Amino acid sequence: MAIVAPSLLSADFAHLARDCRSCLDAGAEFLHFDVMDGHFVPNISFGAPVLSSIAKAVPAFYDVHLMLTDPLDYLPMFLKAGASMITFHLEANSPVEETIDAIHAGGAKAGIVLKPATPAQAAFPWLDKVEMVLVMSVEPGFGGQKFQSGALDKLAAIRQQAVKTGRSELLLEVDGGIDRNTAPLCVKAGASVLVAGSAVFGAADPAAEIAFLRGL
Ligand code: DX5
Ligand code: ZN
């Protein structure tokens, strides 16, 4: 069984709480919250006040994906807003160990994110310090992009290294272009958490998509 994390980037922002509830009712374990600063990625999404409002209205496990140049500087506001897990990019400017420690000190789970061009080996030094590794299967910034199959080898390499180093319980998340066709390949490669934005919210029956992905 995979953990499903619907990406709220593709939800109806006028009805965020409703859409969050529908995902939870359909069995989604995580809600994926994409934060973009218009600098690290060429897009702007939503920030801590929005997270705070929906986390109050809809208690859930909020998986917050920071696409920020300086994630360390912004941790306090997302921790306070109700983030359950915070992931940040290895390609960002913040010192990795300090950022992981600050997330843990704030009471959340921590994860690192790799863009498509970043090799799997970049994650290896951190596998015993984080709860999750997120492999991007598109360039971060926008929903609805095509899955890049280079993510599959990367997932397999990280899963293999995690098992080899006694970290088989590490969560391995994949994000970008995940749907009924690409998700099974990712799970086979070792992914345990599936982010899906357009595949869920663009479907005629979002609950059926979540159920399908969870069954993998
Ligand atoms: C992209 C975001 C993704 C995005 C995924 O930068 O990190 O979470 O919402 O969207 P889909 O599933 O449509 O590719
Ligand atoms: Zn994301």
Side-chain angles (χ1 to χ4, degrees):
M1 281 268 287
I3 290 174
V4 177
S7 170
L8 301 179
L9 196 59
S10 294
D12 180 348
F13 293 171
H15 298 99
L16 262 184
R18 178 201 67 188
D19 283 4
C20 289
R21 278 191 205 102
S22 311
C23 289
L24 298 175
D25 289 347
E29 288 88 351
F30 291 5
L31 295 174
H32 186 80
F33 190 86
D34 287 300
V35 183
M36 303 178 183
D37 64 358
H39 187 258
F40 184 75
V41 291
N43 196 9
I44 295 174
S45 55
F46 32 48
V50 175
L51 177 62
S52 177
S53 292
I54 56 169
K56 275 195 198 101
V58 187
F61 188 96
Y62 285 93
D63 164 30
V64 177
H65 174 192
L66 297 183
M67 286 161 270
L68 308 177
T69 301
D70 298 296
L72 182 60
D73 297 347
Y74 294 89
L75 293 179
M77 64 173 79
F78 287 99
L79 290 163
K80 188 159 179 267
S84 313
M85 162 97 76
I86 297 182
T87 63
F88 66 97
H89 278 261
L90 288 182
E91 306 86 2
N93 285 343
S94 300
V96 177
E97 187 155 16
E98 197 181 329
T99 306
I100 294 169
D101 288 346
I103 295 169
H104 285 151
K109 297 190 188 314
I112 49 170
V113 193
L114 287 74
K115 292 213 264 187
T118 302
Q121 288 71 20
F124 291 179
W126 311 109
L127 297 187
D128 62 340
K129 297 192 169 62
V130 294
E131 285 74 35
M132 188 164 84
V133 174
L134 166 51
V135 170
M136 292 304 301
S137 38
V138 298
E139 283 302 328
F142 298 90
Q145 302 183 72
K146 190 178 172 315
F147 179 81
Q148 296 184 19
S149 55
L152 297 173
D153 284 349
K154 205 186 286 188
L155 288 166
I158 295 171
R159 176 57 73 201
Q160 193 183 27
Q161 180 72 9
V163 170
K164 201 169 111 188
T165 55
R167 289 284 292 126
S168 34
E169 76 280 15
L170 180 81
L171 294 172
L172 189 51
E173 183 175 56
V174 62
D175 182 6
I178 299 301
D179 59 21
R180 284 179 181 245
N181 298 315
T182 57
L185 307 174
C186 294
V187 171
K188 195 162 168 243
S192 53
V193 186
L194 303 168
V195 177
S198 41
V200 166
F201 292 103
D205 183 356
E209 295 307 304
I210 292 172
F212 175 87
L213 297 174
R214 284 187 80 219
L216 291 173

